[in-house]
Amino acid sequence: MLLRCQTGYTLRQIENTFCLLPYGQQIADQKKGIALNETSVFLWNAVQRAGCVSLEDLASNLVTHYDLDEADFSDVLEDVKSWATQLIQYGMLIESLKPVSEEASLHLSIAGLSLHLYDPDGLVGAAFDAFRTDSAAAAADQRIDLLNMPPDSRSYGQVLLQNKEMTIFQNSDRYVVLFPTMPDIYEAHMTLDGSYVRIYCKPVHTREVSDHLFHALRLFFLYLAQKKGRFAVHSASILYRSKAWLFSGHSGMGKSTHTALWHELFQTPYLNGDLNLIGSENGQFFVYGIPWCGTSGIFTTKQYPLGGIVLLGRHPERDLIEELSAPDKILRVMQRMISPAWTAELLNQNLSFASEIAAKVPVFHLSCTMRPSAAQAARDEIDRQEALL
C-alpha cells in the first residue's frame, strides 16, 4: 500500500498539543480534526515529505528514528498499519492508485487501445467478447481493477460535474466518480492521466450489475480515448462507398429511422446505432469500432475512413439541405460530442477536434421527413460533395 496525505488538512500546534485540522472543503464536508501524539506527528510529516510512501518505508523510518532493533520491524509495521488504517477511515490519508494485482483476467483491444481488466469474479459478463484478445503482451493503455468492497474512505475533492447519472470530483491525484443510479457501484477512482481505474462494486452476479459496469467503463474509456486523440460523437452510422457516414441529432430527431431507410433502400451496412469514435491517422479521419451502442445492439469491431457527418433536423413536409457556415459546423459537431468536457481544458480539446473535422470532411444539415425521400436527399448531397473532393 502506498499512502499520501489528503488535501484539506494541516498540522498545527496548540499549546503542547499537535492537531491535524481540516480546512476549506473538508470543513464544508463536516470533517473532524484529531490530536496526534509524537509518533503520529513523525509519521504524518514523513508522508508529507515523501509525497507518496509505503507502509514498509514508514516503519523503517520509525525504526531508524527511535534507534530500535531490526528485530522490532514486524511489530512496528503492524503499528504503522493500524495508524494508517485509522487515518484512512478519517479521510486524512488516501491510498495511492496502483494496480492491486500484476495479473489481468481480461485483455481488450478497442479502437487500437489496449485495456487490461482485473475482474476476478467475472462481473463484467459477455459485453466485451467481440473485443477480447488472447495476447497479454501489449502494454496496457488503461488498467482497470474491479474491487468487490467499499472504499476505505470517502474524500472526494472538488465537484467538476453533477447530474442525475453521475457526480465527478477532482482530487489532487485522481478523479472520483459516483453513479447515483447504479447502487451496486460504490464509487470509482481514475488517475488524472486515465491510465488506471479502480471501481469499487458489490460482488453481485446479475445482468443489471454487468450492464452498470459496462456503462460505467464507457466513461473511463472515453476519457482515455480523448487523451489519445479519439473523440466520441453521439450518432448512428452506416457504411456507404467504403466510408463511414454519421447521422447525428438530438433525441427524437430520427437518426435510427434515417439509417434504417438507408439500409432498406440502398442496402448500406449498419456500423453503430448510437455512438461513434473518430480519430485521425496520417492526416486521415477514421471511425473506430467500439462496443458501446446505446440500446440498438448495433456495433462493429472494425475501423473505416470517415466520409462525413450529417446533422439531422425534423421537417413536417420537405427534405431540405442546409449549407452551414464554418463556425456553425464546428459548434454543432462539438455539441454532438460526448467526450468529457469536465474542465475548460477538456472542452478546448473537443473544440479543436471539431474544428479539424469541419475543415476536412463534409458536414451539412438535413431538415427532413421520416419518409424514404429523406434518405434519397441525403445520398444525393453526399454524392455531390464527394464529387467535389
Side-chain angles (χ1 to χ4, degrees), residues 139-161:
D141 292 297
Q142 188 174 70
R143 170 62 189 259
I144 304 162
D145 287 345
L146 302 184
L147 300 188
N148 300 329
M149 64 185 73
D152 291 320
S153 66
R154 303 211 166 191
S155 298
Y156 299 140
Q158 175 191 1
V159 176
L160 296 181
L161 180 150

Side-chain angles (χ1 to χ4, degrees), residues 161-168 177-180 215 219 342:
L161 180 150
Q162 186 171 30
N163 57 35
K164 65 180 182 180
E165 292 186 350
M166 71 185 73
T167 302
I168 300 174
V177 185
L178 307 182
F179 299 97
H215 184 73
L219 173 70
W342 314 333

Side-chain angles (χ1 to χ4, degrees), residues 236 247 253-262 270 273-274 296 298 312:
F247 297 85
M253 284 296 104
K255 63 183 186 295
S256 297
T257 299
H258 190 83
T259 53
L261 289 172
W262 276 77
Y270 295 116
D274 189 67
S296 71
I298 298 169
L312 297 176

Side-chain angles (χ1 to χ4, degrees), residues 31-297:
K31 297 298 178 65
K32 306 293 185 181
I34 61 172
L36 300 183
N37 60 24
E38 178 185 340
T39 302
S40 292
V41 170
F42 175 85
L43 290 171
W44 176 264
N45 287 333
V47 177
Q48 278 208 318
R49 283 194 304 271
C52 182
V53 65
S54 69
L55 295 173
E56 290 76 12
D57 285 343
L58 287 176
S60 293
N61 289 343
L62 270 183
V63 169
T64 300
H65 181 72
Y66 288 105
D67 196 22
L68 302 174
D69 292 334
E70 287 298 327
D72 297 324
F73 178 82
S74 59
D75 291 335
V76 172
L77 180 59
E78 289 303 313
D79 290 340
V80 170
K81 288 180 180 178
S82 297
W83 172 84
T85 298
Q86 183 179 19
L87 266 65
I88 287 172
Q89 290 172 347
Y90 289 149
M92 296 167 174
L93 287 178
I94 188 168
E95 183 183 354
S96 290
L97 285 179
K98 299 291 182 182
V100 298
S101 171
E102 295 294 330
E103 300 296 328
S105 51
L106 180 62
H107 299 89
L108 306 172
S109 179
I110 304 175
L113 302 176
S114 178
L115 278 63
H116 292 189
L117 185 68
Y118 177 69
D119 178 21
D121 291 316
L123 296 178
V124 167
F128 293 105
D129 279 356
F131 295 84
R132 286 176 181 257
T133 175
D134 293 332
S135 174
D141 292 297
Q142 188 174 70
R143 170 62 189 259
I144 304 162
D145 287 345
L146 302 184
L147 300 188
N148 300 329
M149 64 185 73
D152 291 320
S153 66
R154 303 211 166 191
S155 298
Y156 299 140
Q158 175 191 1
V159 176
L160 296 181
L161 180 150
Q162 186 171 30
N163 57 35
K164 65 180 182 180
E165 292 186 350
M166 71 185 73
T167 302
I168 300 174
F169 303 86
Q170 183 171 349
N171 215 308
S172 58
D173 68 335
R174 71 191 68 191
Y175 296 108
V176 179
V177 185
L178 307 182
F179 299 97
T181 61
M182 304 179 189
D184 36 75
I185 299 179
Y186 296 112
E187 62 189 51
H189 296 203
M190 179 175 65
T191 56
L192 298 180
D193 65 0
S195 64
Y196 178 63
V197 179
R198 182 182 295 170
I199 300 178
Y200 297 92
C201 56
K202 297 178 181 178
V204 181
H205 289 80
T206 66
R207 175 64 181 272
E208 184 178 43
V209 171
S210 295
D211 288 347
H212 286 171
L213 288 170
F214 179 71
H215 184 73
L217 288 169
R218 187 188 78 169
L219 173 70
F220 305 114
F221 173 80
L222 292 183
Y223 182 84
L224 172 72
Q226 185 183 44
K227 288 283 187 182
K228 302 293 186 178
R230 293 159 170 75
F231 295 78
V233 177
H234 184 206
S235 55
S237 57
I238 52 98
L239 185 66
Y240 178 59
R241 293 187 173 178
S242 301
K243 292 183 179 180
W245 284 88
L246 278 53
F247 297 85
S248 183
H250 297 291
S251 296
M253 284 296 104
K255 63 183 186 295
S256 297
T257 299
H258 190 83
T259 53
L261 289 172
W262 276 77
H263 186 70
E264 179 181 348
L265 294 173
F266 313 125
Q267 292 74 55
T268 50
Y270 295 116
L271 296 181
N272 193 296
D274 189 67
L275 188 65
N276 289 276
L277 192 70
I278 306 173
S280 63
E281 299 177 16
N282 301 318
Q284 183 177 7
F285 287 101
F286 288 90
V287 175
Y288 301 91
I290 57 175
W292 297 280
C293 57
T295 59
S296 71

